Amino acid sequence: MPRPIDPSTIYDLEFDELKGLMAACYSNIAMCLLKMVPAGVDPARQRGLARLAHEAASQSLQLDPLSLKALFRRARALHIMNDFAEARADLQKVLQHDPDNTAAQAELAAVDANEHAHERAKGAMLSRMFR
């Protein structure tokens, strides 16, 4: 005779499946938004799309904190928003779990390079202000 089904177990299973699907949807929304960020376009528009991608990736991570795709996508959005420290932190988490992730390695190198360029530009602007 089959064991009786515990309704609370079914609900939890369905809820966990739903959480997984919702996490994937939010992560995919972040990816789509990031693909809409064209190079050479108004930086304010780029940052606006990146902010939306950041929010979507963060929602995904609330549902699935171990999603490396969502972490990478949030890091990419943070990079576009010039939040280099947070982008670096997310990329390091990705690389901690997947050290051979070449996309994360390349993005981390780009974050470092852009941070240095950003700091040089900021220094040059400040030096012109105080001549």
Side-chain angles (χ1 to χ4, degrees), residues 87-109:
R88 184 178 295 104
D90 278 355
L91 290 166
Q92 288 170 342
K93 286 179 194 173
V94 171
L95 291 169
Q96 182 180 14
H97 293 284
D98 183 8
D100 298 326
N101 188 320
T102 56
Q105 292 168 354
E107 188 68 21
L108 184 57

Side-chain angles (χ1 to χ4, degrees), residues 52-122:
L52 293 173
H54 174 269
E55 290 173 11
S58 293
Q59 287 289 327
S60 177
L61 288 165
Q62 283 184 349
L63 296 166
D64 182 5
L66 299 177
S67 172
L68 298 182
K69 287 181 179 182
L71 266 175
F72 177 81
R73 291 168 183 164
R74 186 171 73 178
R76 180 77 186 107
L78 288 162
H79 181 191
I80 293 167
M81 295 167 21
N82 293 333
D83 190 342
F84 303 112
E86 292 296 319
R88 184 178 295 104
D90 278 355
L91 290 166
Q92 288 170 342
K93 286 179 194 173
V94 171
L95 291 169
Q96 182 180 14
H97 293 284
D98 183 8
D100 298 326
N101 188 320
T102 56
Q105 292 168 354
E107 188 68 21
L108 184 57
V111 165
D112 290 339
N114 287 337
E115 182 177 31
H116 293 303
H118 188 75
E119 291 300 318
R120 280 194 307 273
K122 191 164 73 173

